[in-house]
């Protein structure tokens, strides 16, 4: 479904250029949920944005990107936009402050000229667990979890096959996170979606994904199946360190933390 | 009596309901909440009353004025305030009150025409420049700078020399020299907005640049531009008055307030009301717009948005 | 009506608590009415690490600020008791409060960007933090500032002292904050989400610094966070807040035996690397929790 080969992303030019992503390669078969895990500056979000075609004018993107048989160039075709959608991290920033929920969710349907937009909006809002009373509210009248649901609804209304998720629950309270993760899991099963999920939280990634890539300083340090992660048979020391850190505060373990230079 | 209270409750309840059931209701609610915030500011309300007063007077001029304010009546020249002529008469015997009333239409016309030209042009140029960036931004901003550099009165003189004196030419001259700051304001807002996640989301959905500009960027830039416009109104009115004073704008016998001051200035010492009353009218309307603009800024300022 | 003290005996804290808070209320007037941010919270702090955990709106940050009387002009703070080492913070005058703030009770906030003065070098700010509370020469303050930067494990203290806040990375910025807050050698540090903006490994390293300092100097630490897992592993005791009330107070080791359904719900809904679960159990919020009486410590 998704084929990334030798992806390189450089921001800026020449000496001042910043090599955010270096030679990243991975494949995501149809229906899989693939995770990109890393700390800040690892390049994981940049990879996602390169896939989504959001870096066109800001960075030099080289390498081969192929989604559903279509090789991707600088821009993104309408067909691509119909098949690949994205959910963003910040529930407060990813919704237009002056648009109602109805406007936000119907916009992609309008852009792609779907029919029966009103019914589709009602249907997708119900699927994400928002009842009709939310339909004409503005973003600032919703809670963080509700906004993320709107974000999910917006990405699903045009029935994509791939959803890119950029830290979808990082800004949410823990109890709300559980609801949103369950929602995402259920939708994936029901619609047979392919997910690429970016997160710094190893627990979230291992819950949601079947396969993952650990990134650091712009490169992939290791590819793992979730089972390997659970059995702690990760080979790279960095992955092990992330795993230990995800388990909470352990004074002795922290002593053994290493610095990994780029 | 109880029925009236119920109706009021009905409308008010509709406006304050927590779950609006249509796009119209949602928009009305937002407007109502902004209105409540505006209403709480007495100074802003005063500004609104003055501006509303101007509009009402202009609309109802034929019924408020007793004469057409243009025909001379040489028997009643330079009369002071009286019950027949509330603001006295000018050097041609015309009732000043009536001339002020008819002149309000002209003031409104000037203000409206300038607004209608300046806001769309400034908004369009500014948002495109700020959002698209690069070469387009450079070119558009240099054009903006050129227009910013024109001195208003000189341009008006040039227009008059080329096209002949008249109110429309004066308004055009004012509009051409006023739109630049609006483009800058819109550009500044667009620059902050363009990196927002909701813009990225719109791109991911497949929205084109034009769609994003029209539906996402411009609505957010509009408030700053409108606030700036109301604060500028006073200046626009005064400039038009100044042009009228110089004889470059409205031509006699048109009751434009600035021209009235100009034509009446020789009477300032003995029949002071002839130039002073139109001066007061200009002052009051300018003040009204300033207060309104301040109030609007407090309500529409994105920083105070929840 | 006597408070139950067995918990404090188990954590081995010194007999007299550093801080006693009983029935704390914090209210804010807003255009829509009065908001009751904290409703009857009670806790005690000894020479230990106490965690206050809650989601957004739980009142945990407001509790921390109320202790330092930093809730802002319009807030109304009242409590049955708010005592720091025998000093009644409720009735203390502003001069006393000022001498306590920063010197004996310090606060570390989430983002150093907001707490550090952007136009002053880091070293200078740490020196100022010292000289505000102690009479000393510039040289002495500078010496102490550099020593402090070393104790928060900054490898090149001289260079960092000469930098400005924007030149310093997240993790280092937090260590600078800690250095600044520790230099007057306070009795209590209140840390409000001090590591939430940091990467997980950096987060733990910064916490280990706090940990060492707290135990070396016999200080009390109030650690406010939304991360229950982190608090459970880092702190000695945990206070769980919901809707402005304290719903549970427990030893961290004992958290798996939590009694309140909110705490149990929170613990259950966390995803973990080790457990493979289809659906995460979600929290069913019972409105009764917001009405329950808080449990005194």
């Amino acid at each position: 479904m998704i084929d990334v080969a030798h992806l390189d992303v450089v921001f800026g030019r020449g000496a001042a250029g910043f090599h955010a992503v270096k030679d990243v390669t991975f494949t995501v078969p149809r229906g899989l949920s693939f995770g990109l895990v890393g700390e800040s500056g690892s390049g994981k979000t940049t990879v996602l944005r390169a896939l989504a075609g959001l870096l066109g004018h800001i960075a030099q993107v080289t390498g081969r990107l192929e989604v559903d048989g279509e090789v991707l160039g600088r821009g993104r075709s309408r067909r691509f936009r119909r098949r690949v959608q994205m959910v963003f991290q910040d529930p407060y920033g990813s919704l237009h402050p002056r648009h109602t929920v109805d406007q936000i969710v119907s916009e992609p349907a309008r852009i792609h000229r779907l029919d029966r937009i009103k019914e589709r909006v009602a249907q997708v809002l119900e699927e994400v667990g928002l009842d009709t009373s939310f339909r004409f509210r503005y973003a600032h009248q919703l809670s963080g979890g509700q906004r993320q649901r709107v974000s999910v609804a917006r990405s699903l209304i045009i029935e994509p096959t791939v959803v890119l998720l950029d830290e979808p629950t990082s800004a949410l309270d823990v109890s709300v996170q559980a609801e949103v993760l369950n929602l995402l899991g259920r939708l994936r099963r029901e619609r047979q979606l392919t997910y690429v999920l970016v997160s710094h939280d190893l627990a979230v990634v291992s819950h949601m994904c079947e396969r993952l890539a650990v990134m650091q300083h712009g490169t992939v340090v290791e590819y793992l199946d979730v089972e390997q992660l659970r059995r702690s048979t990760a080979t790279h020391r960095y992955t092990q360190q992330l795993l230990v850190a995800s388990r909470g505060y352990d004074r002795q373990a922290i002593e053994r933390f290493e610095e990994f230079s780029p | 009596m109880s029925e009236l209270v119920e109706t009021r409750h009905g409308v008010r309840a509709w406006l304050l309901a927590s779950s609006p059931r249509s796009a119209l209701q949602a928009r009305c609610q937002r407007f109502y909440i902004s209105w409540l915030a505006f209403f709480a500011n007495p100074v802003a309300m005063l500004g609104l009353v003055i501006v509303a007063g101007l509009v009402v007077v202009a609309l109802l001029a034929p019924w408020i004025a007793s004469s057409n304010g243009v025909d001379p009546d040489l028997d009643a020249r330079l009369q002071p305030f009286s019950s027949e002529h509330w603001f006295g008469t000018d050097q041609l015997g015309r009732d000043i009150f009536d001339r002020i009333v008819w002149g309000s239409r002209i003031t409104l016309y000037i203000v409206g025409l300038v607004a209608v030209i300046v806001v769309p042009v400034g908004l369009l140029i500014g948002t495109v420049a700020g959002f698209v960036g690069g070469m387009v931004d450079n070119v558009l901003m240099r054009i903006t700078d050129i227009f910013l550099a024109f001195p208003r009165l000189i341009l008006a003189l040039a227009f008059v020399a080329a096209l002949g004196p008249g109110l429309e030419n004066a308004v055009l001259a004012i509009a051409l020299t006023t739109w630049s700051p609006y483009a800058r304001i819109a550009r500044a807002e667009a620059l902050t907005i363009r990196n927002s996640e909701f813009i990225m989301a719109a791109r991911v959905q497949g929205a084109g640049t034009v769609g994003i500009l029209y539906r996402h960027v411009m609505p957010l830039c509009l408030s700053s531009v409108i606030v700036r416009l109301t604060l500028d109104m006073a200046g626009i009115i005064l400039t038009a008055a100044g042009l009228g004073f110089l004889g470059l704008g409205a031509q006699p016998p048109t009751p434009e307030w600035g021209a009235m001051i100009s034509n009446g200035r020789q009477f300032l010492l003995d029949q002071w009301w002839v130039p002073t009353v139109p001066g007061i009218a200009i002052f009051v309307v300018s003040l009204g717009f300033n207060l309104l603009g301040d109030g609007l800024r407090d309500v529409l300022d994105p920083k105070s948005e929840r | 009506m006597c408070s139950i003290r067995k918990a404090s005996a188990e954590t081995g804290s010194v007999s007299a608590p550093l801080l006693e808070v009983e029935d704390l209320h914090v209210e804010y007037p807003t255009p829509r009415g009065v908001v009751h941010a904290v409703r009857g919270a009670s806790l005690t702090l000894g020479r230990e690490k106490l965690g206050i955990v809650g989601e957004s709106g739980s009142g945990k940050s407001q509790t921390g600020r109320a202790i330092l009387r930093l809730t802002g002009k319009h807030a109304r703070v009242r409590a049955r008791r708010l005592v720091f080492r025998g000093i009644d913070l409720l009735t203390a005058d502003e001069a006393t409060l000022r001498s306590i703030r920063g010197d004996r009770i310090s606060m570390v906030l989430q983002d150093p960007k907001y707490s550090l003065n952007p136009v002053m070098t880091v070293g200078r700010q740490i020196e100022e933090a010292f000289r505000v509370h102690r009479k000393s020469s510039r040289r002495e303050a500078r010496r102490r500032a550099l020593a402090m930067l070393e104790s928060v494990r900054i490898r090149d203290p001289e260079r960092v002292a000469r930098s400005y806040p924007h030149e310093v990375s997240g993790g280092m910025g937090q260590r600078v904050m800690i250095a600044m807050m520790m230099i007057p050698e306070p009795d209590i540090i209140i840390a409000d989400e001090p590591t939430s903006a940091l990467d997980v490994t950096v987060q733990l390293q910064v916490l280990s610094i706090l940990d060492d300092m707290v135990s070396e100097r016999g200080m009390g630490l109030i650690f406010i966070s939304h991360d229950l897992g982190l608090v459970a592993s880092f702190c000695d005791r945990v206070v769980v807040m919901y809707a402005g009330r304290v719903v549970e107070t427990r030893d961290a080791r004992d958290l798996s035996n939590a009694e309140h359904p909110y705490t149990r719900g929170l613990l259950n809904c966390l995803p973990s690397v080790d457990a493979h679960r289809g659906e995460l159990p979600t929290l069913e919020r019972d409105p009764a929790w917001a009405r329950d009486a808080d449990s005194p410590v």
Side-chain angles (χ1 to χ4, degrees):
Chain A
M1 192 67 174
I2 300 177
D3 207 336
V4 174
H6 305 293
L7 177 66
D8 250 45
V9 178
V10 179
F11 289 94
R13 282 179 205 288
F18 173 55
H19 214 147
V21 176
K22 302 168 196 158
D23 198 21
V24 166
T25 302
F26 62 89
T27 336
V28 183
R30 184 183 294 269
L32 191 85
S33 176
F34 185 76
L36 283 171
V37 173
E39 300 184 300
S40 55
S42 57
K44 56 193 194 298
T45 301
T46 312
V47 167
L48 213 65
R49 293 199 179 161
L51 263 176
L54 288 171
L55 297 178
H57 301 285
I58 322 174
Q60 288 109 288
V61 178
T62 45
R64 193 170 179 282
L65 295 170
E66 188 182 322
V67 174
D68 199 14
E70 182 186 340
V71 177
L72 305 176
R74 203 126 187 261
R76 294 289 179 269
S77 66
R78 227 180 161 76
R79 180 176 173 271
F80 178 86
R81 292 285 180 225
R82 183 80 198 268
R83 319 209 60 157
V84 179
Q85 278 299 306
M86 190 157 168
V87 175
F88 293 86
Q89 171 176 9
D90 182 6
Y92 299 83
S94 59
L95 303 181
H96 194 284
R98 299 281 169 86
H99 288 176
T100 55
V101 169
D102 183 71
Q103 277 172 289
I104 292 171
V105 176
S106 51
E107 184 171 356
R110 233 183 348 89
I111 292 173
H112 292 270
R113 303 211 186 98
L114 299 182
D115 60 350
R116 299 178 300 114
I117 293 185
K118 283 201 167 44
E119 281 123 18
R120 286 178 192 264
V121 169
Q123 193 186 354
V124 82
L125 283 179
E126 195 192 313
E127 264 190 81
V128 301
L130 291 174
D131 68 51
T132 50
S133 71
F134 288 96
R135 190 158 171 177
F136 293 101
R137 289 200 195 167
Y138 288 95
H140 63 79
Q141 295 169 299
L142 305 174
S143 72
Q146 289 161 348
R147 293 182 206 198
Q148 271 313 50
R149 287 173 195 267
V150 171
S151 226
V152 172
R154 164 175 71 182
S155 67
L156 291 180
I157 192 171
I158 54 176
E159 290 159 2
T161 44
V162 175
V163 182
L164 308 173
L165 300 143
D166 185 5
E167 309 250 22
T169 56
S170 303
L172 303 176
D173 278 332
V174 148
S175 57
V176 180
Q177 170 177 273
E179 290 169 12
V180 172
L181 289 180
N182 286 348
L183 172 69
L184 289 171
R186 178 171 61 79
L187 288 168
R188 190 185 137 220
R189 282 192 306 274
E190 285 171 7
R191 293 177 175 230
Q192 276 134 40
L193 300 168
T194 307
Y195 279 175
V196 179
L197 175 77
V198 159
S199 179
H200 65 277
D201 188 334
L202 209 55
V204 166
V205 169
S206 57
H207 175 81
M208 294 290 296
C209 304
E210 286 129 11
R211 192 162 165 74
L212 54 123
V214 178
M215 285 187 71
Q216 193 195 29
H217 300 312
T219 56
V220 174
V221 152
E222 188 167 10
Y223 298 92
L224 293 175
D225 288 330
V226 161
E227 282 315 311
Q228 289 174 286
L229 189 68
R230 290 217 179 92
R231 280 180 273 125
S232 295
T233 53
T235 49
H236 202 279
R237 291 184 332 273
Y238 180 64
T239 315
Q240 280 297 83
Q241 183 167 303
L242 280 185
L243 198 53
V244 165
S246 78
R247 295 212 172 96
Y249 182 80
D250 178 345
R251 189 71 187 77
Q252 273 74 38
I254 294 171
E255 288 289 309
R256 296 191 294 268
F257 277 0
E258 297 172 51
E259 291 278 324
F260 294 85
S261 53
Chain B
M1 192 59 197
S2 57
E3 269 179 353
L4 190 64
V5 170
E6 252 172 5
T7 322
R8 193 112 51 73
H9 269 196
V11 172
R12 201 152 182 274
W14 187 77
L15 286 171
L16 291 175
S18 55
S19 299
R21 261 174 286 131
S22 69
L24 174 67
Q25 189 179 1
R27 217 177 269 145
C28 289
Q29 284 193 348
R30 235 185 70 212
F31 181 77
Y32 183 63
I33 291 176
S34 304
W35 162 258
L36 285 179
F38 187 82
F39 189 71
N41 183 350
V43 167
M45 282 306 290
L46 177 62
L48 181 65
V49 164
I50 294 175
V51 173
L54 174 71
V55 173
V56 165
V57 166
L59 283 175
L60 299 180
W63 293 276
I64 299 176
S66 51
S67 66
N68 68 1
V70 167
D71 299 332
D73 178 6
L74 295 169
D75 293 327
R77 296 177 66 233
L78 298 170
Q79 305 267 319
F81 296 163
S82 67
S83 53
E84 197 192 325
H85 301 286
W86 290 351
F87 287 164
T89 59
D90 69 3
Q91 66 275 32
L92 290 179
R94 298 174 292 202
D95 186 298
I96 291 180
F97 176 77
D98 291 342
R99 279 175 71 78
I100 297 282
V101 167
W102 287 110
S104 71
R105 287 197 164 186
I106 299 176
T107 305
L108 207 56
Y109 175 70
I110 294 170
V111 150
L113 199 56
V114 171
V116 155
I117 297 174
V118 155
V119 168
V121 169
L123 200 58
L124 186 64
I125 293 184
T127 48
V128 169
F131 189 75
V132 175
M135 195 40 120
V136 172
D137 183 16
N138 263 325
V139 167
L140 288 176
M141 280 301 107
R142 298 298 79 79
I143 294 176
T144 308
D145 287 339
I146 291 173
F147 276 92
L148 198 56
F150 273 110
R152 233 171 237 181
L153 290 179
I154 310 290
L155 188 66
L157 278 169
F159 264 52
V160 161
L163 302 165
L167 193 57
E168 283 78 14
N169 296 341
V171 166
L172 196 58
I174 296 174
L176 280 176
T177 49
T178 313
W179 68 266
S180 302
Y182 296 88
R184 287 206 164 268
I185 291 173
R187 175 179 179 269
E189 293 260 10
L191 279 177
T192 7
I193 292 168
R194 81 171 167 186
N195 293 320
S196 310
E197 285 200 346
F198 61 83
I199 297 289
M200 274 195 266
R203 284 226 188 87
V204 166
Q205 288 155 24
T209 308
V210 172
I212 294 180
L213 276 174
Y214 180 66
R215 230 168 247 110
H216 294 261
V217 182
M218 281 195 199
L220 289 172
C221 300
L222 192 60
S223 347
S224 314
V225 166
I226 287 185
V227 168
R228 174 69 193 247
L229 180 71
T230 38
L231 291 172
D232 261 356
M233 283 299 181
I236 293 169
I237 294 169
L238 291 169
T239 306
L243 291 176
F245 188 84
L246 291 173
L248 294 174
Q251 297 299 298
T254 322
E256 197 261 317
W257 295 346
M260 286 167 72
I261 300 179
S262 167
N263 296 332
R265 69 181 188 272
Q266 56 198 277
F267 304 104
L268 184 59
L269 291 175
D270 295 317
Q271 290 89 13
W272 56 270
W273 56 89
V274 177
T276 310
V277 171
I280 293 176
I282 294 176
F283 166 74
V284 168
V285 170
S286 303
L287 182 66
F289 273 111
N290 274 339
L291 296 178
L292 178 65
D294 267 344
L296 274 181
R297 189 192 50 219
D298 288 341
V299 169
L300 293 175
D301 188 346
K303 289 190 209 84
S304 58
E305 189 114 38
R306 287 156 265 100
Chain C
M1 274 298 281
C2 58
S3 35
I4 302 160
R5 291 232 184 253
K6 61 177 180 179
S8 48
E10 278 181 273
T11 57
S13 53
V14 189
S15 48
L18 291 174
L19 179 72
E20 290 167 82
V21 178
E22 209 176 303
D23 198 33
L24 176 70
H25 288 259
V26 179
E27 287 166 6
Y28 284 95
T30 65
R32 288 198 201 102
V34 174
V35 168
H36 239 110
V38 182
R39 303 188 287 162
S42 302
L43 56 92
T44 59
L45 175 72
R47 294 177 197 284
E48 59 179 333
K49 302 189 292 276
L50 178 74
I52 304 183
V53 175
E55 299 184 301
S56 43
S58 56
K60 57 189 192 301
S61 284
Q62 295 301 326
T63 304
R65 279 167 209 270
I67 292 171
L68 269 180
R69 308 300 309 277
L70 282 178
T71 42
K73 234 180 354 185
H74 304 286
R76 276 207 316 272
V77 176
R78 54 185 169 90
R80 218 177 300 143
R81 267 170 77 78
L82 185 59
V83 177
F84 164 64
R85 298 194 77 170
I87 305 171
D88 186 351
L89 294 178
L90 280 173
T91 55
D93 62 10
E94 188 57 30
T96 316
L97 288 174
R98 264 205 307 271
S99 69
I100 292 178
R101 275 185 214 128
D103 187 21
R104 306 191 62 195
I105 306 181
S106 240
M107 195 150 178
V108 179
L109 297 167
Q110 175 170 0
D111 201 330
K113 266 205 313 271
Y114 300 124
S115 342
L116 293 175
N117 186 336
V119 297
M120 236 198 244
T121 60
V122 153
R124 175 84 185 277
Q125 292 187 54
I126 302 179
E127 288 168 36
E128 292 295 315
F130 183 68
R131 293 182 75 207
V132 156
H133 297 286
R134 306 254 185 285
K135 292 180 89 67
S136 95
S137 65
R138 285 291 292 274
R139 199 177 306 138
E140 172 68 12
R142 187 162 178 74
R143 191 185 64 76
R144 280 179 182 261
L146 289 173
M148 207 65 217
L149 285 175
E150 265 193 53
S151 63
V152 293
R153 293 188 223 139
I154 286 179
R155 248 166 282 161
D156 193 352
E158 307 251 332
R159 190 184 57 82
V160 173
R162 283 195 302 267
S163 332
Y164 285 90
H166 66 268
E167 294 171 339
V168 158
S169 73
M172 198 171 293
Q174 274 307 43
R175 293 181 216 212
V176 164
M177 270 305 307
I178 293 174
M180 210 160 97
M181 293 301 136
M182 288 283 200
I183 200 164
E185 293 178 352
D187 295 308
I188 297 181
I189 278 209
I190 302 176
D192 191 352
E193 307 265 18
T195 53
S196 305
L198 303 175
D199 282 331
V200 99
T201 38
V202 179
Q203 201 177 53
L204 295 176
Q205 286 167 333
V206 168
L207 286 180
S208 68
I209 294 170
L210 261 183
D211 191 4
D212 291 343
M213 295 196 122
V214 166
S215 32
E216 277 163 27
R217 291 157 201 243
M219 291 167 46
L221 171 69
I222 296 182
F223 185 77
I224 301 173
S225 172
H226 65 279
D227 190 336
L228 183 55
L230 185 64
V231 167
S233 51
F234 177 64
C235 298
D236 301 316
R237 278 192 311 136
V238 177
V239 166
V240 180
M241 285 188 74
Y242 177 76
R245 294 185 186 277
V246 170
V247 296
E248 183 134 29
T249 307
R250 216 159 247 288
D251 275 6
R253 290 179 290 217
D254 202 28
L255 208 53
S256 45
N257 296 330
E259 285 166 3
H260 198 278
Y262 177 66
T263 319
R264 301 208 68 87
L266 264 192
L267 285 169
N268 281 336
C269 71
L270 286 170
S272 102
V273 179
D274 305 309
H276 180 71
R277 295 191 282 185
E279 277 217 350
L280 294 167
T282 50
L283 201 55
E284 292 291 327
R285 282 164 215 278
D286 187 345
W289 297 342
R291 291 195 298 262
D292 271 354
D294 58 274
S295 39
V297 168

